Amino acid sequence: SSDVPGAAYQYLYDRGFNPQELANKYFIHYAPKGTVWQAATATSPAKELYEDRLLIPVIQGRHLVGYQMRRLVDLPKDPFKYLNSDFRKSRCLYNRDVAMNYLDVVLVEGVTDVWRLGPHSMAMFGKDLNSFQLHLLKLLFGFGGRGLICIDADDAKGQQKAEQLVKRLRRENVFPRGCAQLRLPEGYDPAKLPKTYLDELQREAWTRCM
């Protein structure tokens, strides 16, 4: 793979991202068709990309644990928008190593949401937290942190899931200074909204932390 060029640059610019900034902060690269993203084993052949994708490193405890690969097109309800190398998403929070330096953090679904919201955000790789992720958050922020939950507003279930997760985090006292939902306009995820608008939504959401 190489630094982000051509079609990948255009994809990121069209969505309001700065490709060089992403490369510098999150080590994003470009993976052309044919890139081997999972080595061969005794029981299975190597896996190669069948199309160009963004290559997104997942780093935990200063160690590279795996990659996500994202399509350069957005298709409706696309089950293959992301591919994952052989790592355990259930034991990871994307951008954890940076976000743990902040007292107030935002939990989001995916990696592009982190790119938009900034260094104080972490991605859950989905709409919920498992017990390992919950315990990790409590270790990192249980001494005095605040948290916001920001789940894509693509359907009513997403918002219900956010409300349930806020209740669970409050019950477990994961964020002792409060936890609230960052509510998005219907049909949007953070990566599709301007950074300035998200900053306004965050300011409002922090006032509801309890």
Side-chain angles (χ1 to χ4, degrees), residues 32-53:
K33 180 179 179 180
T35 299
V36 175
W37 56 275
Q38 195 158 305
T41 67
T43 56
S44 64
K47 293 183 179 179
E48 296 183 4
L49 294 180
Y50 53 86
E51 61 188 342
D52 297 350
R53 286 181 178 251

Side-chain angles (χ1 to χ4, degrees), residues 99-107 120 122 136-149 169-170 172-180 206 209-210:
M100 64 185 288
N101 295 303
Y102 294 79
L103 275 176
D104 300 334
V105 295
V106 185
L107 293 171
H120 65 299
M122 291 177 285
L136 179 60
L137 286 171
K138 199 163 188 176
L139 285 175
L140 294 175
F141 303 101
F143 58 89
R146 286 191 303 174
L148 295 179
I149 306 302
L169 291 168
R170 287 177 177 173
E172 298 283 345
N173 197 32
V174 172
F175 296 104
R177 291 177 49 239
C179 182
W206 289 124
C209 271
M210 52 184 289

Side-chain angles (χ1 to χ4, degrees), residues 1-17:
S1 63
S2 60
D3 289 338
V4 186
Y9 256 107
Q10 194 60 50
Y11 168 82
L12 293 168
Y13 273 128
D14 288 348
R15 284 149 187 80
F17 293 114

Side-chain angles (χ1 to χ4, degrees), residues 6-73:
Y9 256 107
Q10 194 60 50
Y11 168 82
L12 293 168
Y13 273 128
D14 288 348
R15 284 149 187 80
F17 293 114
N18 182 319
Q20 194 57 56
E21 181 181 3
L22 293 183
N24 292 340
K25 289 184 176 179
Y26 301 104
F27 312 106
I28 307 307
H29 281 63
Y30 165 72
K33 180 179 179 180
T35 299
V36 175
W37 56 275
Q38 195 158 305
T41 67
T43 56
S44 64
K47 293 183 179 179
E48 296 183 4
L49 294 180
Y50 53 86
E51 61 188 342
D52 297 350
R53 286 181 178 251
L54 291 175
L55 185 69
I56 305 160
V58 179
I59 298 167
Q60 305 286 285
R62 299 185 180 183
H63 293 284
L64 175 67
V65 297
Y67 294 93
Q68 276 204 333
M69 287 74 65
R70 197 202 191 283
R71 283 191 197 272
L72 297 181
V73 294

